[in-house]
Amino acid sequence: VQLQASGGGLVQAGGSLRLSCAASGRTFSTYVMGWFRQAPGKEREFVASIIGSSRSTYYAASVKGRFTISRDNAKNTVDLEMNNLKPEDTAVYYCARRYPTSSSFDYWGQGTLVTVSS
């Protein structure tokens, strides 16, 4: 299984970015997909997740209303649309997958850097 995240970059505060994560494998729709981030000097934190059917999404309080997670099971991709970005959103963003009955995410992508300037 490979998860390849892309779409990071430098953006001014108030701007937008769209991250994408491409997954290999034939059972993509089975898994819960999530986005996490790790800012310099801080622990990795949960950002958003989406179940296989796309019927349920979950967000960290800090991004709710600004970020939108979506997935395309036909293309094996999960995206994170980020709007109204703030300097505190600066971090390396990782996509990850979790089996529905598991309590932890077991496969992680390599991360993509998002830098928001003030």
Side-chain angles (χ1 to χ4, degrees):
V1 174
Q2 286 188 329
L3 301 175
Q4 183 76 30
S6 62
L10 175 63
V11 63
Q12 288 188 333
S16 299
L17 277 177
R18 187 178 185 91
L19 305 183
S20 186
C21 176
S24 63
R26 294 178 291 178
T27 58
F28 177 77
S29 62
T30 302
Y31 293 90
V32 176
M33 298 301 297
W35 285 96
F36 293 74
R37 67 187 182 186
Q38 187 167 19
K42 294 187 177 181
E43 294 187 352
R44 186 170 57 197
E45 64 175 0
F46 169 80
V47 174
S49 65
I50 183 168
I51 67 172
S53 66
S54 301
R55 291 176 186 169
S56 294
T57 56
Y58 304 90
Y59 297 93
S62 58
V63 307
K64 198 167 186 178
R66 300 188 297 121
F67 291 11
T68 302
I69 188 171
S70 61
R71 66 191 295 162
D72 185 334
N73 289 336
K75 296 181 178 179
N76 280 19
T77 58
V78 56
D79 291 350
L80 185 69
E81 179 73 29
M82 305 185 295
N83 298 314
N84 190 22
L85 284 161
K86 304 175 180 180
E88 51 264 41
D89 294 318
T90 294
V92 177
Y93 284 71
Y94 300 89
C95 62
R97 76 163 202 189
R98 173 174 66 81
Y99 195 72
T101 56
S102 174
S103 60
S104 62
F105 287 79
D106 58 354
Y107 279 94
W108 296 79
Q110 87 289 0
T112 185
L113 177 62
V114 172
T115 304
V116 184
S117 62
S118 57

